[in-house]
Amino acid sequence: MTASASKSTSRRAAFEVDTTEFKSRPIAVIGYGSQGRAHAMNLKDSGCDVIVGVRPGGAGEKKAKADGLKTATPEEATKAAHVIAILTPDMTHEAVYREMVAPNLDKGDAVLFAHGFSVHFGRVHPDPATDIILVAPKGPGDLVRREYEIGRGVPCLFAINQDATGKARNRALSYTACIGGATAGVIETTFAEETETDLFGEQAVLCGGTTELVMAGYETLVEAGYQPEVAYFECLHELKLIVDLLYEGGMAKMHEFISETAIYGDLRSGPRVINDETRARMREVLKDIQDGTFARDWITENQAGKPQYQALLRKDLEHPIEKTGAELRADMPWLQPGANTH
């Protein structure tokens, strides 16, 4: 799959992307986790000269070399490249940029992020001679890679924080095209919008909201005397079936494939659970994100060694639904390691 002349669409316009200049010099990918590996492999397969910036002797270096990619230290990779993608965890960005990337940038280089947290909340202070861009695939790294390999792609958001060269927009779109995003759709955004909506989605709906809803439903049934195994199936196991329908065709497809009894219960009881009080709590969550409260708390928590994070995570993992689920999933061969679940 190549991306020399890919076309992508946003809410307002179509983009013709010429990636020739973008691919004329090396691209550095700093970090080789889930997103780092997907981006680096997709860029390489699109004809880019990719250098993975990793710690010598570390697991990332070994994996990158096994994948047939060139590796170097983050400092060396930055020196050699004109676009540097920092794909390490958010809380490392400040140190990685300050200590490894910034001292080795040339005037006119571009630094790219896949999430705007560190730039939006002022943890990274870019040089005014550097393009600062964002390309955020709307999916985990393994999906970004898998979709590319079968000739498709994961939709991407892109944004320009600083255009020092006049090339920032083309660089962002070229990068998007080369990781496969242009085939699935591109939406232009801002660092603020991407960061704040991403954090809100994770906290209020996708992760925090969903897991709390699942556990509360499970607890309600078990406290009422129903079997934990039955509660698990009704409140967690079958959630995937509904989410798949929503993912594939929205509310309309879900309503098409569930019973009329389920639809009536949905329409009648959904608003009793997610009500005005819930929406008020969601607005509180969003306000904490917008005014920087969440970012300050998370940065402070990291600086303290993450004691509250570890305690809350342990509480989540020790919830009774985890024990019930582990026992039930052990009898589901399609969920075992190595099973083809796609």
Side-chain angles (χ1 to χ4, degrees):
M1 176 177 176
T2 61
S4 59
S6 300
K7 181 184 287 187
S8 56
T9 59
S10 76
R11 290 168 294 185
R12 297 184 181 275
F15 300 109
E16 293 287 349
V17 186
D18 181 358
T19 63
T20 304
E21 192 276 335
F22 177 79
K23 294 193 285 188
S24 65
R25 292 178 56 196
I27 313 298
V29 172
I30 310 300
Y32 205 66
S34 175
Q35 287 289 343
R37 179 181 186 275
H39 290 220
M41 294 289 285
N42 292 4
L43 289 165
K44 176 177 177 287
D45 288 348
S46 288
C48 298
D49 182 5
V50 180
I51 305 171
V52 179
V54 284
R55 179 172 55 85
E61 182 186 55
K62 294 173 184 175
K63 290 178 183 177
K65 286 185 174 179
D67 286 333
L69 291 158
K70 293 188 293 186
T71 66
T73 65
E75 294 88 344
E76 292 167 341
T78 299
K79 286 179 182 178
H82 74 119
V83 174
I84 299 90
I86 298 180
L87 300 179
T88 58
D90 290 334
M91 290 299 104
T92 68
H93 287 183
E94 182 178 7
V96 167
Y97 181 82
R98 183 183 65 247
E99 299 169 12
M100 303 177 186
V101 173
N104 297 294
L105 291 170
D106 291 327
K107 182 178 180 181
D109 283 349
V111 178
L112 180 146
F113 298 87
H115 180 38
F117 185 101
S118 54
V119 173
H120 178 54
F121 290 115
R123 308 307 295 176
V124 167
H125 304 284
D127 185 285
T130 304
D131 289 345
I132 302 295
I133 58 183
L134 177 143
V135 174
K138 302 315 294 175
D142 64 332
L143 184 65
V144 173
R145 179 59 181 162
R146 191 166 67 245
E147 288 294 292
Y148 180 98
E149 288 181 304
I150 60 178
R152 300 190 305 222
V154 170
C156 290
L157 305 182
F158 83 96
I160 311 303
N161 174 264
Q162 185 168 280
D163 185 3
T165 65
K167 301 176 182 178
R169 185 183 180 83
N170 189 71
R171 282 170 156 173
L173 288 171
S174 295
Y175 189 97
T176 302
C178 289
I179 64 169
T183 63
V186 179
I187 295 177
E188 186 165 10
T189 183
T190 64
F191 271 62
E193 184 178 58
E194 185 278 334
T195 302
E196 292 169 5
T197 57
D198 187 77
L199 293 174
F200 176 81
E202 291 169 348
Q203 295 174 31
V205 181
L206 304 176
C207 303
T210 298
T211 55
E212 286 298 316
L213 185 65
V214 165
M215 290 189 291
Y218 175 89
E219 290 167 2
T220 300
L221 289 177
V222 172
E223 288 168 4
Y226 297 102
Q227 295 180 71
E229 294 81 2
V230 174
Y232 173 86
F233 277 116
E234 296 303 330
C235 296
L236 192 154
H237 180 84
E238 292 189 31
L239 179 63
K240 180 184 186 305
L241 310 179
I242 300 303
V243 170
D244 283 350
L245 292 173
L246 291 169
Y247 177 81
E248 293 165 6
M251 307 295 180
K253 184 162 186 178
M254 182 193 74
H255 288 154
E256 179 184 355
F257 285 91
I258 63 176
S259 70
E260 286 189 334
T261 303
I263 295 172
Y264 181 62
D266 166 3
L267 301 175
R268 182 177 182 274
S269 297
R272 299 165 69 189
V273 177
I274 307 300
N275 54 27
D276 288 343
E277 182 180 355
T278 312
R279 291 182 178 84
R281 300 291 84 76
M282 285 186 168
R283 286 190 287 271
E284 289 178 4
V285 170
L286 181 58
K287 183 176 181 296
D288 276 357
I289 292 167
Q290 291 172 325
D291 67 17
T293 299
F294 171 77
R296 288 190 295 272
D297 288 350
W298 179 221
I299 292 164
T300 301
E301 178 70 10
N302 273 266
Q303 292 170 342
K306 298 190 283 192
Q308 185 180 25
Y309 170 92
Q310 296 295 347
L312 292 172
L313 180 60
R314 187 163 53 250
K315 181 182 177 183
D316 233 25
L317 297 179
E318 290 173 354
H319 190 279
I321 199 172
E322 283 292 277
K323 182 176 184 294
T324 302
E327 292 171 352
L328 290 172
R329 290 191 297 270
D331 294 325
M332 301 178 190
W334 62 91
L335 295 180
Q336 303 313 309
N340 184 5
T341 60
H342 306 303

